[in-house]
Amino acid sequence: MKKELRTDEGAAPVGAYSQGLVVGDFVYTSGMGPLDPETGEVVGDDIETQTHQTLKNLGAVLAAHGLGFDDVIKSTVHLQDLKGDFARYNEVYKSYFTPPFPVRTTVGSQLMDILVEIDFVAHKSS
């Protein structure tokens, strides 16, 4: 059985998808970018600002189920400019986590008008 997670604190879906789903003890988020939850507009024009906003949006979805960044076990990251932005994105990303860090896949992708998109898998311990 799956339950939809939805919060006004995170960016609203712009297509046919949920912000997040709870399945058993796991939470799966959709890929999110740096959209302002209030305006729906892209926040910032640099990788640092966009990464912060993206993680803020994801954090809001996690919080809607009582979870935080320490509950994230896997992330998938898409960067518009993998080679040019990875180091600066990684500095922001790692500031949200403590070791052991989630497993992660980071790839270069052709994104629509954003520099970063991230999704999570999180686990709620009993």
Side-chain angles (χ1 to χ4, degrees):
M1 183 128 149
K2 59 186 176 181
K3 173 187 162 195
E4 182 179 19
L5 288 180
R6 188 165 184 76
T7 177
D8 292 338
E9 301 298 313
V14 294
Y17 60 89
S18 300
Q19 286 176 317
L21 290 176
V22 178
V23 181
D25 292 337
F26 291 91
V27 170
Y28 301 86
T29 71
S30 288
M32 294 197 176
L35 301 181
D36 182 304
E38 292 182 22
T39 66
E41 299 295 320
V42 174
V43 173
D45 58 3
D46 60 80
I47 192 63
E48 294 90 349
T49 303
Q50 288 198 11
T51 300
H52 276 297
Q53 184 62 48
T54 299
L55 291 168
K56 183 178 172 185
N57 288 338
L58 287 161
V61 175
L62 294 174
H65 193 58
L67 299 176
F69 289 98
D70 286 342
D71 299 301
V72 175
I73 57 174
K74 181 175 186 351
S75 65
T76 304
V77 180
H78 298 265
L79 297 177
Q80 178 79 341
D81 181 359
L82 181 61
K83 190 172 182 178
D85 286 342
F86 181 83
R88 292 179 298 134
Y89 136 80
N90 194 55
E91 284 301 309
V92 174
Y93 177 93
K94 74 180 182 181
S95 73
Y96 283 77
F97 296 96
T98 56
F101 296 110
V103 298
R104 178 177 76 183
T105 301
T106 305
V107 298
S109 295
Q110 185 175 0
L111 300 172
M112 290 181 20
D113 302 321
I114 59 175
L115 302 176
V116 60
E117 182 176 329
I118 303 172
D119 69 77
F120 289 154
V121 177
H123 184 260
K124 184 166 191 162
S125 302
S126 314

